[in-house]
Amino acid sequence: AQSVTQLDSQVPVFEEAPVELRCNYSSSVSVYLFWYVQYPNQGLQLLLKYLSGSTLVESINGFEAEFNKSQTSFHLRKPSVHISDTAEYFCAVIRQGAQKLVFGQGTRLTINP
Amino acid sequence: EPEVTQTPSHQVTQMGQEVILRCVPISNHLYFYWYRQILGQKVEFLVSFYNNEISEKSEIFDDQFSVERPDGSNFTLKIRSTKLEDSAMYFCASTGTAQAADTQYFGPGTRLTVL
């Protein structure tokens, strides 16, 4: 079975500061990794995903995540956050060949002006 | 951009009542899912559905739950006799293929409150 841990339930940062949201996973088989974002009153939207190849993946709005197999981590980073990044961020994994996403508990990112 | 829609956004019901949560997946998608998130807990998989059959279900998805694609556009989750612990946000999702790498597109959710 797979499991995902997001160590921080809430992360407050100031606007234009860097941020890292941590995600660790556990799986005995190969998985794909995802970050989803949920803006207030909206559904979960895919931010980025790692399938294979380069361990660093980027989103169109400046977020990036690095897959680290040895540390079983997939931390999400952004060098300079904006007020509009205020949202809840979910890390998720899916076993190759499966259809069930396994989610972490989410991290609420709050940006202060 | 195509999106998954869900109705209602908020449903309040009495314990023991039946509820039907509705979803309209992206039009050319063939694989459909329900997840739920109890307040303060993780988003949990309930069921996946393809070709009018359940392809996988979790242990949460017991006999009180059922899913149906009643027509070419809707995908529904029915809870026959709601319990207090069914109170949660329910998310519908869809994909175009069965590939694990394929992105699951989520709706905005239905908040179910059981009194």
Side-chain angles (χ1 to χ4, degrees), chain A residues 4 32 34 36 38 42-44 46 49 51 90 94-101 103-105, chain B residues 31 33 35 37 41-43 45 48 55-56 91 98-108:
Chain A
V4 178
Y32 299 125
F34 301 79
Y36 278 85
Q38 185 179 29
Q42 296 186 31
L44 298 165
L46 181 72
K49 63 183 177 182
L51 305 180
F90 295 90
I94 192 167
R95 177 175 56 84
Q96 291 181 17
Q99 294 183 303
K100 175 178 77 174
L101 280 166
F103 284 87
Q105 58 267 58
Chain B
Y31 297 83
Y33 313 86
Y35 292 81
Q37 184 182 29
Q41 298 185 25
K42 296 184 179 185
V43 176
F45 169 82
S48 60
S55 27
E56 185 177 354
F91 294 104
Q99 300 295 319
D102 198 2
T103 299
Q104 293 188 18
Y105 292 87
F106 285 79

Side-chain angles (χ1 to χ4, degrees), chain B residues 56-73:
Chain B
E56 185 177 354
K57 62 181 180 179
S58 72
E59 57 198 28
I60 302 168
F61 195 90
D62 60 22
D63 291 344
Q64 292 298 311
F65 292 89
S66 62
V67 288
E68 188 180 27
R69 186 150 166 84
D71 54 45
S73 59

